[in-house]
Amino acid sequence: MMKGITMKIHQENNGFSPIAIVLETREDAVVFWDMVNRVKRTTDRDAEYGMALEISDWLSNVAKL
């Protein structure tokens, strides 16, 4: 059985605007980081790799987990 996820996803307006993902628990952040690292290790698409690398680096170097 899957454990409950407490993250929130939010976007304002009808047209495109920034999308915010709020990871409300440390466990959610770790799960998200694991997903990002899995993409980083397996993708052959430059855009996917670049985004995953940037997110992973931020979680590793800036976030207080």
Side-chain angles (χ1 to χ4, degrees):
M1 183 173 193
M2 189 172 140
K3 188 174 180 178
I5 302 294
T6 56
M7 75 174 195
K8 295 178 182 176
I9 302 174
H10 178 76
Q11 185 175 29
E12 296 181 8
N13 303 322
N14 291 333
F16 183 81
S17 61
I19 299 168
I21 298 174
V22 178
L23 305 168
E24 295 189 331
T25 68
R26 181 182 298 230
E27 288 178 344
D28 290 348
V30 170
V31 168
F32 183 74
W33 194 2
D34 287 344
M35 290 180 354
V36 166
N37 283 327
R38 199 167 298 116
V39 169
K40 189 173 72 173
R41 288 191 307 266
T42 61
T43 189
D44 60 353
R45 294 178 56 195
D46 290 341
E48 285 179 0
Y49 178 80
M51 183 180 284
L53 181 64
E54 187 173 341
I55 293 168
S56 179
D57 285 353
W58 188 89
L59 287 167
S60 178
N61 299 317
V62 178
K64 293 167 182 44
L65 299 177

